[in-house]
Amino acid sequence: MRLSSLSRLAALGVAYASPLALAQQVQLNPATPATRQSLPTSMSLLDVGNGFGQLLPHRVAELDTQGVPTGAIVDVRDLSTLLDHVTSTNGILPATNWPPSSVLPGGTSGNHFLVVRFDQVPDIDFILDAAPSAAANSQLLGTLTVVAVDPLTGARAPVQGRAFVGGQTYAGTPSGTPPTLPLQTWVAPSGLGTIALAGIDNDGNGFPDGLGFPGTEGSFTGDHLLALPNAFVFVADTDGDLATHETFPSGQEITVEISSAIHALSGQTLAESAFCNSTVGADVIGPEVRFTPPPNSAPQIVPANGDQNVDPMTTVTIDFTESVQPTSFGALTGASAPGVSAAVALEFGPSMFATQMPYSTLPASVWNLSRIVFTPAFPFPGGGQPSGCGDFSLVNIAVAANQLQDIAGNLNSLSVNSSFHVGSGPGVANAPVAPDAIYVGRFGARVGVSVIDLNGFGQSTGNPTFDPASLMFQEGWSNFSYNPNVRLQGSLLL
């Protein structure tokens, strides 16, 4: 039966190697004491792709020294590249999509897949779960997830597939206590620049279970890289049979999240977590604020909605359902001065006199454009203000609809609001205001700000409480009562 099956595979042009030969190809020797000293301090991500193009690192058109696109495309692997080349008119390029049909990059029929490549060999047990119950999540442990997201409803569902690390997967008959699945090698590099199939046939249908792994049914550029020990490959598979060609779910964002908890065989952990997304067919899905799972279903914003006594010097972090264009919010931290944006408003103070906080933004990492960090231009005033001034400890976050873009150019549809309270802050200066005052920035050995009061009756700093019937004022009160507009016509002022 086996020989007959192998003959049919040979007729299809499918390479086959014995399990022993495959094991020899994927065997890894532990580092010797001499080589351990030269190992890097952490494992890094090389790239994430879907066979049709690159999902990570993100890409951008290179700008010359005059800010003009050169026509070259560069990978955004560090913050300096982002700040040097990403502008409001030169954004991150869209991710490559999967085609609507179940085809491989070479044009032949095959399963949709994605590949994550590391610069070291990852430890498979930090990515895959050997427990039979983990089949509901494609044997994924949770450090690397593939999820279909509906941004409008917030619904998230694991994508069903078969997960491999270095051509190996957990499958077969469970054994032991508690029961676990054996680690099986289904595919490996053939040594001839192609992928070879092992003879694993758990279902006994006469064909190796690895048939349908990308590269085993029609070759394409780089297919042999998918079976190397440093590659994680996730293949669409809802029926447990790779030979039936399938696509990833359409009409949703297919997101990939990679945790820094993943370890290399050498013991190093992944340097940075990562996130990317794409769609089956054209991407017409807009980005939205991400929500926590039910029953809470709260916006994933830090500080969280309802938080109390937050540090007035806090930043604000917002998670989105997909990668967003970094310049959607205005100024990038380190590239230009803080400002306000129509996309997201940070407001503090009493509702009738709310003040918009200027801010600058950056992604949490160039490997994750779905998480944006907002850095206020100055600390929030906080609590402890004089009575009658209103609640300056309240901070409102308002994400406006139809204002922020994903990297494909789609706009968000939903508005989201959240709020928190800060603790005691540095206070609000009750200082003279223009045009009756001039503020002068001072540089040199003693940097600071001087206030020139042009009319002599400015409020000055201090408690705005005053007694209009008295010519005297208590220490700490405002000088506002000396203003004749207040003293003589105070009842007419609003």
Side-chain angles (χ1 to χ4, degrees):
M1 184 69 176
R2 175 62 59 194
L3 291 176
S4 176
S5 299
L6 296 179
S7 299
R8 283 179 285 170
L9 291 174
L12 293 172
V14 176
Y16 171 77
S18 70
L20 176 60
L22 293 173
Q24 291 171 342
Q25 291 184 48
V26 300
Q27 183 177 2
L28 296 165
N29 294 320
T32 63
T35 59
R36 285 195 190 107
Q37 296 179 357
S38 62
L39 288 173
T41 57
S42 61
M43 180 170 61
S44 297
L45 193 64
L46 291 179
D47 50 46
V48 180
N50 60 11
F52 300 91
Q54 185 170 296
L55 305 183
L56 279 179
H58 294 288
R59 301 173 305 141
V60 64
E62 183 182 38
L63 299 180
D64 62 19
T65 55
Q66 305 302 314
V68 178
T70 62
I73 303 299
V74 295
D75 289 341
V76 182
R77 292 185 177 272
D78 51 52
L79 182 58
S80 61
T81 303
L82 179 79
L83 295 176
D84 288 344
H85 301 288
V86 175
T87 67
S88 59
T89 57
N90 191 61
I92 295 291
L93 296 174
T96 305
N97 306 319
W98 286 278
S101 56
S102 53
V103 296
L104 294 170
T108 59
S109 178
N111 294 299
H112 282 181
F113 70 93
L114 63 88
V115 54
V116 179
R117 298 195 307 141
F118 303 92
D119 69 345
Q120 295 189 50
V121 177
D123 188 330
I124 193 169
D125 288 325
F126 280 88
I127 299 177
L128 302 187
D129 189 344
S133 59
N137 194 29
S138 307
Q139 303 300 144
L140 293 175
L141 188 64
T143 56
L144 198 160
T145 62
V146 185
V147 176
V149 179
D150 184 334
L152 293 179
T153 65
R156 298 169 57 84
V159 175
Q160 291 300 305
R162 169 65 61 179
F164 298 84
V165 175
Q168 296 181 302
T169 186
Y170 283 110
T173 303
S175 62
T177 305
T180 58
L181 296 172
L183 182 61
Q184 298 180 340
T185 298
W186 285 18
V187 294
S190 67
L192 302 174
T194 59
I195 291 179
L197 281 163
I200 300 295
D201 184 13
N202 291 300
D203 57 9
N205 68 351
F207 289 91
D209 291 343
L211 184 64
F213 184 94
T216 61
E217 298 176 294
S219 62
F220 53 88
T221 302
D223 56 4
H224 66 287
L225 299 176
L226 304 180
L228 293 179
N230 69 327
F232 165 86
V233 176
F234 188 83
V235 185
D237 183 20
T238 61
D239 62 0
D241 184 0
L242 294 182
T244 56
H245 301 157
E246 300 184 42
T247 68
F248 287 133
S250 60
Q252 301 177 75
E253 288 288 353
I254 308 301
T255 64
V256 182
E257 294 190 59
I258 306 166
S259 168
S260 58
I262 296 175
H263 286 57
L265 281 179
S266 57
Q268 282 79 20
T269 57
L270 187 62
E272 289 188 81
S273 59
F275 174 100
C276 61
N277 60 275
S278 188
T279 58
V280 175
D283 185 353
V284 295
I285 303 172
E288 305 294 347
V289 174
R290 187 168 169 175
F291 279 71
T292 60
N296 293 333
S297 298
Q300 283 193 203
I301 298 177
V302 178
N305 188 37
D307 276 358
Q308 302 288 325
N309 293 318
V310 176
D311 187 341
M313 298 182 67
T314 186
T315 58
V316 174
T317 302
I318 304 179
D319 280 358
F320 296 92
T321 54
E322 60 172 300
S323 301
V324 295
Q325 200 62 254
T327 55
S328 288
F329 314 96
L332 292 176
T333 304
S336 56
V340 296
S341 167
V344 176
L346 304 184
E347 296 182 338
F348 66 88
S351 57
M352 294 184 64
F353 305 100
T355 300
Q356 279 209 45
M357 171 67 78
Y359 59 77
S360 56
T361 62
L362 273 182
S365 162
V366 295
W367 296 95
N368 184 358
L369 301 188
S370 72
R371 177 171 295 167
I372 304 298
V373 179
F374 298 74
T375 302
F378 51 87
F380 290 105
Q385 304 303 324
S387 61
C389 287
D391 186 4
F392 279 89
S393 71
L394 178 65
V395 178
N396 288 297
I397 304 167
V399 180
N402 301 312
Q403 291 294 330
L404 63 97
Q405 287 186 330
D406 64 12
I407 59 176
N410 302 302
L411 295 175
N412 64 316
S413 300
L414 305 176
S415 58
V416 175
N417 290 277
S418 182
S419 64
F420 60 91
H421 283 80
V422 296
S424 296
V428 178
N430 185 24
V433 296
D436 289 342
I438 296 176
Y439 287 77
V440 179
R442 294 185 287 108
F443 297 89
R446 294 175 63 87
V447 177
V449 176
S450 294
V451 181
I452 303 174
D453 186 356
L454 299 180
N455 66 16
F457 294 104
Q459 291 181 208
S460 146
T461 57
N463 191 327
T465 300
F466 64 93
D467 180 2
S470 172
L471 293 178
M472 303 298 292
F473 65 97
Q474 296 184 20
E475 183 178 356
W477 281 14
S478 169
N479 200 38
F480 199 34
S481 59
Y482 286 129
N483 188 320
N485 294 301
V486 177
R487 178 162 167 65
L488 303 177
Q489 303 185 69
S491 63
L492 302 178
L493 295 180
L494 299 177

